[in-house]
Amino acid sequence: MKKKMLLLNTTVLLGLGGILSTPAYASTIQDMESQKSQIQNQRQDVQSNIKAASDELTRLQAEQDQMKAQLERLTIAEEENNKKAQKTEADIKETSKQVEQLEKEIKLLQEKLEKRNDILKDRARSLQESGGNVEYLQVLLGSSSFGDFVDRALAVSTIVDADRGILKETKNMQDELKTKQADVKSKLASLEDMKAELDEMTVQLAAQKKQKDALAKELKDKEVKNEELKASLQSKDSSLANEQSTLEQNIKDQKATEEAARKAAEQAAKEAAKKAAEQAQKAAAAPAEQADSSSAKAETPKASNVVTVGNRWVGNSAYVFGGGRSQSDISHGLFDCSSFVHWAYSQVGVNLGPLGSVSTETLKHAGTQVSSSQMQPGDLVFFDTYKKDGHVGIYVGGGKFIGAQSSTGVAIANMSSGYWKQKFNGRVVRI
């Protein structure tokens, strides 16, 4: 049993070790799927241990039920035995009284017989003095005891009828008392033997009950520990289930976010291509200088890429004021708004200055100021939050921008309505 419980506890600890060793974040859907698979495997182990604990509880409860039934039987036996012992003890007392009473009666009879013995002897002397039968006198005077005297006297044919009646009555009384005394003493001995046996049985029953009580307590302790283990396992399984559910929701949200970003990028690319085509048509009809000016406004391939490069951090990052200025922060998806913009442009080969000193102030002077009516995907857009130009993001088209937001980490937000529309100050910078 101890070995089995140890195996369950060891398995649980190994499962928990797996949970604790899992990274606290996942940067891609593939990472999250891998983490989800690990959790599912851990749940299988935990659920297997829960089943083992349930089976052990069932076995312990069945054994506990058997033990309770046996204790009930022992209790009944003990009660019946005690009743018999009490009755036997009462019978012994009653029989002892009978013995005492018989002994008193025998004593009185002995005294009565002695008196009769004296009377008979007096009669014998009177008979001798009056010239009576010598044989009768020899019988009476030659007896060794009163009992012997009675036996001798009854055998003498010359005894008068009155004496013969007294002797027969005395003999019968004496024999009856002896018989009764022998029966009572036999009964008393039998009762005393029974009482001794019942006392021994009571001791044995008490010892059995004590042993069964100890075993029942041991079983109950094991049952309690097993229930605690099962509850702990169920708690771990519930925790793993919640983590699995969270991961599944994150995967779903990430896929939806990436799909939305992909569609937004496609739409932005279409809009950019459309604008480029329109500008090309205008350039063809305008002087060469105007054509050069219009072509400078067209979206560059780098600008098209920068709007989607940050999608990998959507849902897998956190906003840290002053974060994103070390490789460790970047590896863990820890950015503020300006460091994210710097990182995104660095991924398409554009350097926006020293990473350690990048800020919204440096970024708003990093490129060319354009009108908000001419915004294109890849342009930097600025917002007045805790200060003027306090927040910056990258326009992705369709009235949306991507940036490191304090409430969500890296995310795509709508600047055509709601909070960001109110905070957009109209500053647009084209890199």
Side-chain angles (χ1 to χ4, degrees), residues 399-414:
K400 297 180 180 180
F401 76 99
I402 185 171
Q405 330 295 8
S406 60
S407 59
T408 60
V410 175
I412 295 175
N414 189 351

Side-chain angles (χ1 to χ4, degrees), residues 326-375:
S326 68
Q327 188 56 49
S328 175
D329 281 358
I330 294 172
S331 297
H332 290 81
L334 305 177
F335 297 100
D336 64 9
C337 62
S338 55
S339 65
F340 171 74
V341 169
H342 187 284
W343 173 85
Y345 267 94
S346 70
Q347 300 304 298
V348 296
V350 177
N351 185 357
L352 295 182
L355 176 59
S357 59
V358 66
S359 65
T360 54
E361 289 296 319
T362 63
L363 290 176
K364 73 180 183 182
H365 301 295
T368 303
Q369 304 282 329
V370 297
S371 169
S372 61
S373 62
Q374 296 178 339
M375 277 192 301

Side-chain angles (χ1 to χ4, degrees), residues 56-217:
E56 179 65 8
L57 269 176
T58 300
R59 187 192 71 77
L60 287 171
Q61 288 167 353
E63 193 171 344
Q64 185 84 346
D65 291 340
Q66 292 178 356
M67 190 64 64
K68 287 179 180 178
Q70 180 64 12
L71 279 171
E72 288 176 0
R73 287 191 289 269
L74 288 172
T75 300
I76 293 172
E78 186 179 33
E79 290 174 352
E80 291 299 319
N81 188 71
N82 287 336
K83 289 178 182 178
K84 289 180 180 178
Q86 291 172 1
K87 185 178 183 305
T88 301
E89 190 171 352
D91 290 343
I92 288 173
K93 289 181 179 179
E94 182 62 29
T95 305
S96 297
K97 289 180 180 178
Q98 293 177 12
V99 171
E100 290 177 2
Q101 183 61 34
L102 284 172
E103 288 176 348
K104 289 180 181 179
E105 291 178 8
I106 289 172
K107 184 177 179 181
L108 291 174
L109 180 62
Q110 292 288 355
E111 292 174 355
K112 185 176 181 180
L113 289 175
E114 290 294 336
K115 290 180 180 179
R116 287 188 178 187
N117 185 27
D118 292 339
I119 293 171
L120 289 173
K121 285 182 179 181
D122 289 341
R123 288 186 180 185
R125 290 189 183 96
S126 297
L127 183 61
Q128 181 184 15
E129 292 173 354
S130 61
N133 192 315
V134 176
E135 182 183 2
Y136 178 45
L137 181 61
Q138 290 176 345
V139 168
L140 295 177
L141 298 178
S143 60
S144 60
S145 66
F146 181 73
D148 185 29
F149 165 78
V150 173
D151 291 336
R152 284 170 176 262
L154 289 173
V156 178
S157 60
T158 59
I159 300 175
V160 296
D161 290 340
D163 291 344
R164 186 183 299 276
I166 292 173
L167 290 171
K168 282 185 178 180
E169 181 185 354
T170 303
K171 176 65 174 176
N172 290 338
M173 288 175 63
Q174 187 178 40
D175 291 343
E176 183 182 352
L177 282 173
K178 286 182 179 179
T179 301
K180 187 180 292 187
Q181 187 181 37
D183 290 342
V184 172
K185 286 183 177 180
S186 176
K187 179 181 177 181
L188 181 61
S190 177
L191 287 171
E192 287 175 345
D193 290 342
M194 183 184 295
K195 179 64 167 55
E197 184 177 351
L198 289 170
D199 287 343
E200 178 63 24
M201 191 180 299
T202 299
V203 172
Q204 292 178 1
L205 286 171
Q208 290 183 44
K209 278 194 68 180
K210 185 176 181 180
Q211 183 181 13
K212 297 297 181 185
D213 285 336
L215 288 174
K217 184 179 183 303

Side-chain angles (χ1 to χ4, degrees), residues 248-285:
E248 289 172 348
Q249 185 60 46
N250 288 345
I251 291 170
K252 182 179 178 181
D253 293 344
Q254 178 70 359
K255 288 180 177 179
T257 299
E258 291 187 0
E259 179 63 17
R262 184 187 64 79
K263 289 181 179 180
E266 288 178 354
Q267 181 64 29
K270 288 179 181 179
E271 291 177 359
K274 181 179 179 181
K275 287 183 179 180
E278 291 174 352
Q279 290 175 354
Q281 290 177 357
K282 291 179 181 179

